[in-house]
Amino acid sequence: MSLTEVDWSLIPAPADDGKAAHLEGQSLPDVTLQATDGPAVTLSDLRGLVVFYIYPMTGRPDRDLPDGWDQIPGARGCTPQSCAFRDHYAELQEWGVAGLYGVSIQTTEYQTEAAKRLHLPFPLLSDADQALGKALDLPGIEVEGQHLHKRLTMIVKDGVIVKTFYPVFPPDQDAANVIAWLRSDAEERA
């Protein structure tokens, strides 16, 4: 199966288990994550409007996905999600997004390959030691003995999480949903 072309009707949709309900209103923790574009990013230092999309893991064309990956609700779709944010990057900036970051537990080396292959104009951040996951008590799943973050997206204003999208399905619509929320939020404030 292609990493980018997915028939979402064949993939089980994740259910809202309530494990992200505590995030809105929280401040970003004083956690530093290595970025694929060079410098590490200290989350508590970020200001302005920032979007984080958190995902389980990016697949690679030269490696098999874990057994049963497509049948784990919410697991499939990391590449389409990243590509959607890539394709909507300029529009997100027009809506005031100063920072966009994809976050997974994969190493920076692994993520760098994906960022280059997918031509991402924004960095991916490695939470390989689970510092962010633990600090925010992010929802997770166990796959082949490894703890992965569940897919969720956070909109952050001046260090405070103001909106979460969880569960995110289908993942290729995540960027469009973020833009719709930003548009609605701007209209409410106008």
Side-chain angles (χ1 to χ4, degrees):
M1 187 180 283
S2 167
L3 291 175
T4 55
E5 301 297 322
V6 181
D7 181 349
W8 298 114
S9 69
L10 301 176
I11 307 295
D16 188 348
D17 57 11
K19 292 185 178 179
H22 66 284
L23 292 171
E24 288 183 16
Q26 281 199 37
S27 295
L28 289 179
D30 187 20
V31 169
T32 301
L33 302 177
Q34 185 58 49
T36 54
D37 65 352
V41 176
T42 301
L43 304 189
S44 60
D45 290 347
L46 296 173
R47 292 293 167 255
L49 188 60
V50 180
V51 174
F52 294 92
Y53 69 95
I54 298 167
Y55 58 94
M57 61 173 274
T58 304
R60 288 177 57 158
D62 62 340
R63 298 185 186 173
D64 290 334
L65 292 168
D67 287 339
W69 185 252
D70 287 353
Q71 296 312 306
I72 301 169
R76 183 62 188 255
C78 304
T79 296
Q81 183 182 28
S82 290
C83 290
F85 275 106
R86 175 199 64 205
D87 296 346
H88 288 283
Y89 184 62
E91 189 175 359
L92 287 161
Q93 289 179 311
E94 289 171 12
W95 283 103
V97 174
L100 172 62
Y101 302 96
V103 181
S104 76
I105 63 124
Q106 294 165 299
T107 65
T108 303
E109 265 184 9
Y110 191 102
Q111 290 177 326
T112 299
E113 182 281 329
K116 288 179 181 176
R117 176 172 38 88
L118 300 175
H119 307 287
L120 301 181
F122 52 85
L124 301 178
L125 302 178
S126 175
D127 191 26
D129 65 358
Q130 306 268 348
L132 178 63
K134 291 174 186 170
L136 288 178
D137 192 23
L138 295 177
I141 54 174
E142 300 294 325
V143 178
E144 295 185 349
Q146 188 172 32
H147 182 81
L148 306 174
H149 297 320
K150 283 188 175 181
R151 185 181 321 282
L152 69 98
T153 299
M154 304 183 302
I155 298 176
V156 178
K157 288 184 183 177
D158 294 325
V160 177
I161 302 166
V162 296
K163 176 65 178 170
T164 56
F165 295 87
Y166 178 83
V168 173
F169 190 82
D172 64 348
Q173 295 302 305
D174 193 21
N177 292 333
V178 167
I179 290 167
W181 186 88
L182 292 170
R183 182 181 302 120
S184 174
D185 184 58
E187 289 170 356
E188 286 180 18
R189 287 185 285 117

